Amino acid sequence: MPFEEVKKIWMNGRLVDFADAKIHVLTHALHYGSGLFEGIRCYQTKNGPAVFRLDEHLRRLYDSCRIYRMEVPYSFADFKNAMLDVIAANEFDDCYLRPLVYRGFHSLGVNPANCPIDVMIAAWVWGKYLGAEGFEKGVDVRVSSWNRMAPNTFPALAKATANYMNSILIRAEAAAEGYAEGIALDVSGYVSEGSGENVFLVRDNRILTPPLGASVLAGITRDTIIRLARDLGFEVVETLIPREALYIADELFLTGTAAEVTPVRSVDKIPVGAGRRGPVTERIQKEYFAYIGGEIPDRFSWLTPVYTGKRAEMRKAALAAR
Ligand code: PPE
């Protein structure tokens, strides 16, 4: 499906019309992948739209930029406000937010020093990442023939656009062979992550996930699931996972902002457990959705309401004028 037009996109401090959100073909990031980004979801909760773990996502964005020696040209508070303004300007309830900090148009050549640091924030409505059906029944995946990047090559903790060429190899290979997703191993052969999700495995009611040293992105959803699962009484261990553990797991699931919590029902055509969503995965899915939907108390202050202060007043006035 082509991109559905939205009202406004934020570019370098201004909200511009969708049609005007354009850049030059000689933009540095287009040639060398010099961009750092985030993917964040805003959910309609009982108390109105709220962004899930906005501070943690923005912190990761600032961290990503620091790794690449780039200074974000906006304060954390201003950036945060801009994110909320984009949602309000598009009048979204449930939506996905995509901020991108990138090396802009000035000159080409690998040294980016003279290129400006440009920033854009877009928002759109994004449905179930790995399909609505997979969400309940589980998806079929393969172990990718591609590895995740080696340590000290592309930093996995930075969410860089360049890293997604590796993700594209994984995802396109899986799709070409009829799988919903590929799970990549790290260069030592241990389980790393999906093209756009972290991996969790359940065996004998214990939950395992690869450590940050296994070339994974430090997923915000990964952290969320670790905390929620522990509070539910599950033992959660961050440990190296050999490939074959995937084949003998009771349950397997993928996590990510876009993918949320998606069960896996087979790996390389070998059924995972009973070949459908397992009880632990279902319990964790339920807890995750209760939390993001504001149905249980926000005990970690993970929800940032969109409509407070000036934005709330403006919305009230806009609704009254209708
Ligand atoms: N690993 C990778 C490689 C990854 O891209 C993501 C998110 C995760 C793990 C999970 O991270 P988190 O969202 O913080 O829990 N992938 C984003 C982009 C997906 C896309 O296709 O674009 C996302 O889920 O927003």
Side-chain angles (χ1 to χ4, degrees):
M1 273 224 299
F3 207 103
E4 214 170 289
E5 196 167 316
V6 300
K7 288 196 182 102
K8 297 283 184 186
I9 291 178
W10 191 96
M11 282 180 88
N12 292 331
R14 288 190 313 127
L15 284 162
V16 301
D17 287 341
F18 182 86
D20 299 329
K22 292 181 176 165
I23 56 164
H24 200 277
V25 290
L26 295 177
T27 294
H28 194 272
L30 187 59
H31 293 252
Y32 306 118
S34 48
L36 293 314
F37 72 103
E38 274 303 316
I40 308 167
R41 276 193 194 263
C42 172
Y43 291 101
Q44 178 64 286
T45 73
K46 280 191 184 151
N47 309 311
V51 182
F52 188 60
R53 304 199 70 174
L54 179 54
D55 284 27
E56 291 86 344
H57 278 283
L58 276 186
R59 182 179 181 204
R60 189 171 67 185
L61 181 62
Y62 278 70
D63 285 348
S64 297
C65 291
R66 175 185 282 255
I67 291 168
Y68 279 95
R69 301 172 187 270
M70 284 162 72
E71 197 172 330
V72 182
Y74 299 95
S75 73
F76 196 90
D78 286 351
F79 208 124
K80 194 168 161 177
N81 256 316
M83 301 274 285
L84 300 171
D85 285 344
V86 175
I87 302 169
N90 287 289
E91 295 173 56
F92 284 141
D93 297 324
D94 279 284
C95 69
Y96 184 86
L97 282 162
R98 168 59 54 83
L100 171 69
V101 181
Y102 61 102
R103 287 290 185 176
F105 170 75
H106 175 275
S107 49
L108 287 182
V110 172
N111 184 359
N114 291 322
C115 293
I117 294 172
D118 289 330
V119 182
M120 80 90 205
I121 306 167
W124 66 89
V125 176
W126 209 355
K128 294 284 173 248
Y129 189 62
L130 295 171
E133 207 187 295
F135 210 65
E136 275 182 31
K137 296 196 166 145
V139 295
D140 302 307
V141 309
R142 63 163 286 169
V143 172
S144 183
S145 72
W146 295 98
N147 287 124
R148 217 53 190 131
M149 54 277 192
N152 210 26
T153 60
F154 294 87
L157 294 187
K159 195 169 169 66
T161 57
N163 293 358
Y164 285 80
M165 287 301 269
N166 176 262
S167 290
I168 287 169
L169 290 170
I170 295 163
R171 185 67 177 259
E173 178 188 61
E177 292 173 12
Y179 295 97
E181 180 57 293
I183 292 179
L185 307 178
D186 67 14
V187 285
S188 303
Y190 294 104
V191 174
S192 179
E193 61 179 347
S195 73
E197 313 87 10
N198 291 110
V199 178
F200 284 81
L201 186 157
V202 184
R203 181 152 160 126
D204 296 337
N205 266 334
R206 274 170 91 227
I207 302 175
L208 311 181
T209 195
L212 297 188
S215 299
V216 302
L217 180 71
I220 308 294
T221 320
R222 175 184 180 277
D223 178 73
T224 301
I225 296 307
I226 290 174
R227 298 225 234 164
L228 294 182
R230 282 186 181 148
D231 281 4
L232 286 172
F234 290 104
E235 186 188 347
V236 186
V237 189
E238 295 175 61
T239 181
L240 288 177
I241 297 174
R243 172 182 181 155
E244 62 274 23
L246 298 173
Y247 304 132
I248 55 173
D250 298 328
E251 301 180 32
L252 209 60
F253 59 90
L254 303 171
T255 69
T257 299
E260 299 172 308
V261 180
T262 299
V264 174
R265 68 177 177 191
S266 76
V267 182
D268 294 335
K269 305 226 158 95
I270 300 174
V272 175
R276 59 181 125 82
R277 176 173 66 185
V280 176
T281 307
E282 194 173 349
R283 181 72 194 86
I284 284 169
Q285 263 185 335
K286 204 173 141 211
E287 190 71 5
Y288 185 72
F289 284 101
Y291 201 110
I292 60 181
E295 288 155 33
I296 55 177
D298 181 11
R299 63 189 186 277
F300 298 116
S301 300
W302 280 343
L303 293 165
T304 302
V306 178
Y307 295 103
T308 57
K310 222 171 78 191
R311 264 182 306 273
E313 280 164 36
M314 280 168 70
R315 181 182 223 202
K316 226 166 149 187
L319 290 176
R322 270 190 198 156

